[in-house]
Amino acid sequence: MASTVSREFRLQMNGYGLTTAEIHYHLPDHPSLLQLYVWQDYDLAPDFPGLRGFLGFWERELAGALHSVRVAHHRLIRPSEWRVVDGIIAIH
């Protein structure tokens, strides 16, 4: 039985973290109105190459002009923290 590791787990092991972007853009037919789009993927902080690529695609291919982008990023897997404990713990 061969086990496969998911793409997301491999990315996390390589330093990627979960990135969420709130993208506000102007509606093409009603430029005074803003619409919200939420983008989420695993990306590398602080440069965010995946998000920058998506925003580049947006500007090239989509009609809605970007207004603002708010980004949240969190590494779900990171080196564990440890500390020395002085004493003995007995488990029965």
Side-chain angles (χ1 to χ4, degrees), residues 46-68:
D47 296 329
F48 300 108
L51 177 58
R52 288 181 184 271
F54 177 74
L55 293 175
F57 165 79
W58 185 297
E59 290 180 332
R60 283 189 316 276
E61 304 294 331
L62 301 179
L66 294 174
H67 175 271
S68 61

Side-chain angles (χ1 to χ4, degrees), residues 65-87:
L66 294 174
H67 175 271
S68 61
V69 178
R70 188 165 67 166
V71 179
H73 176 81
H74 184 69
R75 287 189 61 188
L76 302 174
I77 297 177
R78 55 185 144 191
S80 61
E81 298 176 7
W82 65 277
R83 60 188 172 111
V84 177
V85 177
D86 188 19

Side-chain angles (χ1 to χ4, degrees), residues 3-65:
S3 76
T4 59
V5 177
S6 69
R7 170 190 171 266
E8 291 80 13
F9 183 74
R10 279 185 273 123
L11 287 173
Q12 290 178 60
M13 294 305 293
N14 289 324
Y16 285 71
L18 187 60
T19 303
T20 304
E22 283 185 0
I23 301 168
H24 291 93
Y25 64 96
H26 296 276
L27 291 174
D29 297 339
H30 304 283
S32 62
L33 297 177
L34 289 177
Q35 182 72 19
L36 172 67
Y37 180 82
V38 177
W39 177 90
Q40 191 173 54
D41 202 357
Y42 290 92
D43 209 352
L44 287 170
D47 296 329
F48 300 108
L51 177 58
R52 288 181 184 271
F54 177 74
L55 293 175
F57 165 79
W58 185 297
E59 290 180 332
R60 283 189 316 276
E61 304 294 331
L62 301 179

